[in-house]
mmCIF file of all heavy atoms in Angstrom:
data_model
loop_
_atom_site.group_PDB
_atom_site.id
_atom_site.type_symbol
_atom_site.label_atom_id
_atom_site.label_comp_id
_atom_site.label_asym_id
_atom_site.label_seq_id
_atom_site.Cartn_x
_atom_site.Cartn_y
_atom_site.Cartn_z
ATOM 1 N N ARG A 21 -12.805 -13.663 13.848
ATOM 2 C CA ARG A 21 -11.515 -14.139 13.326
ATOM 3 C C ARG A 21 -10.404 -13.832 14.329
ATOM 4 O O ARG A 21 -10.148 -12.661 14.650
ATOM 5 C CB ARG A 21 -11.228 -13.431 11.990
ATOM 6 C CG ARG A 21 -9.958 -13.893 11.348
ATOM 7 C CD ARG A 21 -9.848 -13.355 9.934
ATOM 8 N NE ARG A 21 -8.525 -13.619 9.417
ATOM 9 C CZ ARG A 21 -8.043 -13.113 8.308
ATOM 10 N NH1 ARG A 21 -8.788 -12.289 7.571
ATOM 11 N NH2 ARG A 21 -6.825 -13.397 7.907
ATOM 12 N N PRO A 22 -9.741 -14.854 14.823
ATOM 13 C CA PRO A 22 -8.674 -14.603 15.793
ATOM 14 C C PRO A 22 -7.486 -13.891 15.145
ATOM 15 O O PRO A 22 -7.266 -14.002 13.943
ATOM 16 C CB PRO A 22 -8.251 -16.004 16.257
ATOM 17 C CG PRO A 22 -9.154 -16.974 15.594
ATOM 18 C CD PRO A 22 -9.907 -16.277 14.512
ATOM 19 N N VAL A 23 -6.747 -13.176 15.955
ATOM 20 C CA VAL A 23 -5.537 -12.485 15.491
ATOM 21 C C VAL A 23 -4.332 -13.334 15.904
ATOM 22 O O VAL A 23 -4.192 -13.684 17.080
ATOM 23 C CB VAL A 23 -5.443 -11.079 16.120
ATOM 24 C CG1 VAL A 23 -4.123 -10.401 15.759
ATOM 25 C CG2 VAL A 23 -6.624 -10.221 15.687
ATOM 26 N N GLU A 24 -3.497 -13.675 14.937
ATOM 27 C CA GLU A 24 -2.340 -14.512 15.231
ATOM 28 C C GLU A 24 -1.363 -13.758 16.142
ATOM 29 O O GLU A 24 -0.990 -12.619 15.832
ATOM 30 C CB GLU A 24 -1.597 -14.891 13.940
ATOM 31 C CG GLU A 24 -2.431 -15.651 12.926
ATOM 32 C CD GLU A 24 -3.275 -14.755 12.028
ATOM 33 O OE1 GLU A 24 -3.411 -13.563 12.323
ATOM 34 O OE2 GLU A 24 -3.808 -15.282 11.024
ATOM 35 N N PRO A 25 -0.934 -14.388 17.249
ATOM 36 C CA PRO A 25 -0.028 -13.701 18.175
ATOM 37 C C PRO A 25 1.270 -13.233 17.501
ATOM 38 O O PRO A 25 1.774 -12.152 17.812
ATOM 39 C CB PRO A 25 0.276 -14.765 19.245
ATOM 40 C CG PRO A 25 -0.844 -15.735 19.151
ATOM 41 C CD PRO A 25 -1.343 -15.719 17.751
ATOM 42 N N GLU A 26 1.802 -14.033 16.550
ATOM 43 C CA GLU A 26 3.063 -13.651 15.886
ATOM 44 C C GLU A 26 2.871 -12.398 15.050
ATOM 45 O O GLU A 26 3.765 -11.547 14.966
ATOM 46 C CB GLU A 26 3.594 -14.767 14.974
ATOM 47 C CG GLU A 26 3.569 -16.180 15.553
ATOM 48 C CD GLU A 26 2.162 -16.780 15.578
ATOM 49 O OE1 GLU A 26 1.457 -16.699 14.561
ATOM 50 O OE2 GLU A 26 1.759 -17.305 16.636
ATOM 51 N N LEU A 27 1.705 -12.301 14.409
ATOM 52 C CA LEU A 27 1.424 -11.130 13.569
ATOM 53 C C LEU A 27 1.317 -9.874 14.447
ATOM 54 O O LEU A 27 1.849 -8.809 14.107
ATOM 55 C CB LEU A 27 0.130 -11.338 12.786
ATOM 56 C CG LEU A 27 -0.178 -10.274 11.750
ATOM 57 C CD1 LEU A 27 0.785 -10.387 10.572
ATOM 58 C CD2 LEU A 27 -1.607 -10.411 11.248
ATOM 59 N N LEU A 28 0.638 -10.031 15.575
ATOM 60 C CA LEU A 28 0.510 -8.893 16.492
ATOM 61 C C LEU A 28 1.894 -8.489 17.011
ATOM 62 O O LEU A 28 2.219 -7.293 17.072
ATOM 63 C CB LEU A 28 -0.426 -9.242 17.655
ATOM 64 C CG LEU A 28 -0.624 -8.122 18.664
ATOM 65 C CD1 LEU A 28 -1.302 -6.911 18.024
ATOM 66 C CD2 LEU A 28 -1.443 -8.600 19.859
ATOM 67 N N ALA A 29 2.712 -9.484 17.350
ATOM 68 C CA ALA A 29 4.065 -9.186 17.849
ATOM 69 C C ALA A 29 4.872 -8.420 16.795
ATOM 70 O O ALA A 29 5.626 -7.495 17.118
ATOM 71 C CB ALA A 29 4.773 -10.480 18.245
ATOM 72 N N GLU A 30 4.699 -8.801 15.536
ATOM 73 C CA GLU A 30 5.386 -8.105 14.435
ATOM 74 C C GLU A 30 4.973 -6.618 14.407
ATOM 75 O O GLU A 30 5.816 -5.729 14.272
ATOM 76 C CB GLU A 30 4.984 -8.796 13.135
ATOM 77 C CG GLU A 30 5.758 -8.414 11.916
ATOM 78 C CD GLU A 30 5.244 -9.246 10.723
ATOM 79 O OE1 GLU A 30 5.400 -10.481 10.742
ATOM 80 O OE2 GLU A 30 4.649 -8.651 9.811
ATOM 81 N N CYS A 31 3.687 -6.373 14.580
ATOM 82 C CA CYS A 31 3.185 -4.988 14.574
ATOM 83 C C CYS A 31 3.703 -4.215 15.793
ATOM 84 O O CYS A 31 4.077 -3.044 15.686
ATOM 85 C CB CYS A 31 1.659 -4.978 14.578
ATOM 86 S SG CYS A 31 0.939 -5.664 13.079
ATOM 87 N N LEU A 32 3.720 -4.869 16.944
ATOM 88 C CA LEU A 32 4.204 -4.205 18.163
ATOM 89 C C LEU A 32 5.688 -3.864 18.022
ATOM 90 O O LEU A 32 6.137 -2.785 18.421
ATOM 91 C CB LEU A 32 3.992 -5.104 19.387
ATOM 92 C CG LEU A 32 2.543 -5.407 19.765
ATOM 93 C CD1 LEU A 32 2.480 -6.459 20.869
ATOM 94 C CD2 LEU A 32 1.819 -4.139 20.219
ATOM 95 N N ARG A 33 6.445 -4.786 17.421
ATOM 96 C CA ARG A 33 7.888 -4.563 17.223
ATOM 97 C C ARG A 33 8.106 -3.371 16.285
ATOM 98 O O ARG A 33 8.967 -2.529 16.525
ATOM 99 C CB ARG A 33 8.524 -5.835 16.649
ATOM 100 C CG ARG A 33 9.977 -5.994 17.001
ATOM 101 C CD ARG A 33 10.513 -7.361 16.579
ATOM 102 N NE ARG A 33 9.954 -8.456 17.339
ATOM 103 C CZ ARG A 33 9.217 -9.454 16.836
ATOM 104 N NH1 ARG A 33 8.948 -9.513 15.549
ATOM 105 N NH2 ARG A 33 8.760 -10.409 17.602
ATOM 106 N N THR A 34 7.317 -3.311 15.249
ATOM 107 C CA THR A 34 7.410 -2.179 14.307
ATOM 108 C C THR A 34 7.086 -0.870 15.030
ATOM 109 O O THR A 34 7.798 0.133 14.888
ATOM 110 C CB THR A 34 6.430 -2.396 13.133
ATOM 111 O OG1 THR A 34 6.841 -3.553 12.424
ATOM 112 C CG2 THR A 34 6.402 -1.208 12.195
ATOM 113 N N LEU A 132 1.366 1.600 15.726
ATOM 114 C CA LEU A 132 0.724 0.283 15.821
ATOM 115 C C LEU A 132 -0.535 0.264 14.950
ATOM 116 O O LEU A 132 -0.775 -0.712 14.214
ATOM 117 C CB LEU A 132 0.396 -0.041 17.281
ATOM 118 C CG LEU A 132 -0.343 -1.352 17.518
ATOM 119 C CD1 LEU A 132 0.451 -2.546 16.985
ATOM 120 C CD2 LEU A 132 -0.648 -1.553 19.006
ATOM 121 N N ALA A 135 0.631 -0.093 11.389
ATOM 122 C CA ALA A 135 1.190 -1.422 11.107
ATOM 123 C C ALA A 135 0.072 -2.456 10.994
ATOM 124 O O ALA A 135 0.110 -3.359 10.144
ATOM 125 C CB ALA A 135 2.183 -1.821 12.199
ATOM 126 N N LEU A 136 -0.939 -2.321 11.839
ATOM 127 C CA LEU A 136 -2.088 -3.234 11.783
ATOM 128 C C LEU A 136 -2.830 -3.075 10.468
ATOM 129 O O LEU A 136 -3.132 -4.056 9.770
ATOM 130 C CB LEU A 136 -3.036 -2.944 12.959
ATOM 131 C CG LEU A 136 -2.513 -3.305 14.353
ATOM 132 C CD1 LEU A 136 -3.350 -2.617 15.424
ATOM 133 C CD2 LEU A 136 -2.513 -4.817 14.573
ATOM 134 N N ALA A 138 -1.800 -2.004 7.671
ATOM 135 C CA ALA A 138 -1.013 -2.493 6.530
ATOM 136 C C ALA A 138 -1.132 -4.006 6.371
ATOM 137 O O ALA A 138 -0.810 -4.553 5.317
ATOM 138 C CB ALA A 138 0.452 -2.098 6.717
ATOM 139 N N ARG A 139 -1.608 -4.687 7.436
ATOM 140 C CA ARG A 139 -1.733 -6.148 7.401
ATOM 141 C C ARG A 139 -3.180 -6.625 7.413
ATOM 142 O O ARG A 139 -3.469 -7.769 7.731
ATOM 143 C CB ARG A 139 -0.970 -6.742 8.591
ATOM 144 C CG ARG A 139 0.539 -6.578 8.468
ATOM 145 C CD ARG A 139 1.227 -6.793 9.811
ATOM 146 N NE ARG A 139 2.666 -6.701 9.682
ATOM 147 C CZ ARG A 139 3.347 -5.552 9.624
ATOM 148 N NH1 ARG A 139 2.714 -4.399 9.682
ATOM 149 N NH2 ARG A 139 4.662 -5.562 9.517
ATOM 150 N N GLY A 140 -4.112 -5.695 7.132
ATOM 151 C CA GLY A 140 -5.520 -6.098 7.050
ATOM 152 C C GLY A 140 -6.260 -6.085 8.370
ATOM 153 O O GLY A 140 -7.380 -6.601 8.460
ATOM 154 N N LEU A 141 -5.631 -5.491 9.393
ATOM 155 C CA LEU A 141 -6.316 -5.400 10.687
ATOM 156 C C LEU A 141 -6.728 -3.956 10.941
ATOM 157 O O LEU A 141 -6.199 -3.024 10.328
ATOM 158 C CB LEU A 141 -5.402 -5.877 11.827
ATOM 159 C CG LEU A 141 -5.107 -7.370 11.823
ATOM 160 C CD1 LEU A 141 -3.780 -7.652 11.158
ATOM 161 C CD2 LEU A 141 -5.112 -7.925 13.231
ATOM 162 N N TYR A 177 -9.142 -8.213 12.828
ATOM 163 C CA TYR A 177 -9.141 -8.106 11.359
ATOM 164 C C TYR A 177 -10.329 -7.246 10.952
ATOM 165 O O TYR A 177 -11.321 -7.161 11.688
ATOM 166 C CB TYR A 177 -9.252 -9.497 10.722
ATOM 167 C CG TYR A 177 -7.923 -10.203 10.608
ATOM 168 C CD1 TYR A 177 -7.504 -11.108 11.574
ATOM 169 C CD2 TYR A 177 -7.069 -9.935 9.547
ATOM 170 C CE1 TYR A 177 -6.273 -11.747 11.475
ATOM 171 C CE2 TYR A 177 -5.833 -10.567 9.445
ATOM 172 C CZ TYR A 177 -5.443 -11.468 10.404
ATOM 173 O OH TYR A 177 -4.232 -12.084 10.315
#
Side-chain angles (χ1 to χ4, degrees):
R21 182 170 170 191
V23 174
E24 301 84 347
E26 315 75 47
L27 187 71
L28 180 63
E30 191 178 295
C31 294
L32 295 172
R33 208 172 292 118
T34 296
L132 177 59
L136 291 164
R139 291 163 177 80
L141 291 97
Y177 276 96

